[in-house]
Amino acid sequence: MVSIVINLSQHCRAISILGFSEKKLIIILVSIIVALSIGIGTWFVVEANFAHEPTKGEVFVMNAGSLVRMFETTIGPSFQKDTGYIYLGEGKGSVQLANMIIDKQRYPDVFVSAGTIPVMKLINNNPPLARWLVKFASAEMVIAYTSKSPFFSDLERAGRGEIPWYEVLSEDGLKFRRTDPELDPKGYYMVMVAQLANIYYNDSTIRDRTLGQDRNPAQLLPEESLLTTLEQGQIDAAASYKHEAVARGLPYITLPKEINLSDPKFSNYYNQASYDLGKREIVNGGTIDFSITIPETSKNIDGSIAFVKFLLSEKGTKIIEKYGLDSIKAVGQGDIEKMPSEIKELLGYI
């Protein structure tokens, strides 16, 4: 067994390789070196744990940064063990990932996004870099916090509903952080939560008191390091999806369904909020649905299909539910005719 752990600042790559021939080990080590050289983010090759040596090649999955813990520790290893493909993943903010694909900085086999807007950027590109997407899970916005915070007592009281969560976040000295809404859907979802809070609590000051400007530089951190910074106690609280807090064992404040973007029954209410991404692209409030596609950049179409099928399978669904995501009936969107027949059949379209 050969295990390698490389730590570079906040960007951690963990590689564990087991049971490979010397030739395959050399190939994978070269792949890792290449991966480390082409940009920052969270890159990982999961532990290889096959009964036989893999022969099907790599599947490069770019996924929302909020899914990194789930994909690195469970989804990736399970997919790799069950199928014989080598799993290679990278996680960042979904809008940033979509831009990297459009700018030809990355050529993934699979793209898993928070929300549908990042995938639609690929679909609407000229020429199209994706043709379809499948919505497979929904998420919920929460306020995660740490027991290391000097404001822990007040955050706990807010979690119990004894004091308003927005009053705690407005306290002098409390360090609340979130992601950049221009790069990560969670960033603009938090802006929408604050907009809806103004309406729900009939208090037009909540957004300004808790966030300041939409892109307040004092609050913004990269998606891939936000919750790690929270875990380390460098900040007090952070905008988070519920499944991220669950995966990391962080305490969190549950927000009312009218503002947490999780319940389809409140879709019309959520639609009162919006965020302007620029270039005539307005994101309207709605439920947070995670989506998956196989971009036109895929170099391993069979492996890509295998990953989508695994994620949508009963086993994949149980994993995402374990990590706090809510599974939904998988629904296709876009040019369904261009969707691989195996996936169409899985969704009941043929």
Side-chain angles (χ1 to χ4, degrees), residues 306-325:
F307 185 84
V308 174
K309 290 175 65 178
F310 177 82
L311 192 63
L312 300 181
S313 70
E314 181 178 355
K315 185 172 184 178
T317 297
K318 286 181 178 179
I319 293 172
I320 66 174
E321 289 177 343
K322 173 186 173 183
Y323 278 87
L325 272 173

Side-chain angles (χ1 to χ4, degrees), residues 86-124:
I86 298 171
Y87 178 85
L88 175 65
E90 181 181 14
K92 289 179 181 288
S94 297
V95 175
Q96 184 178 5
L97 292 177
N99 290 336
M100 292 171 74
I101 297 170
I102 291 170
D103 293 339
K104 299 181 180 180
Q105 297 177 29
R106 297 288 192 278
Y107 300 90
D109 296 304
V110 178
F111 178 34
V112 187
S113 169
T116 60
I117 296 298
V119 181
M120 291 305 300
K121 287 173 71 74
L122 302 186
I123 292 175
N124 293 329

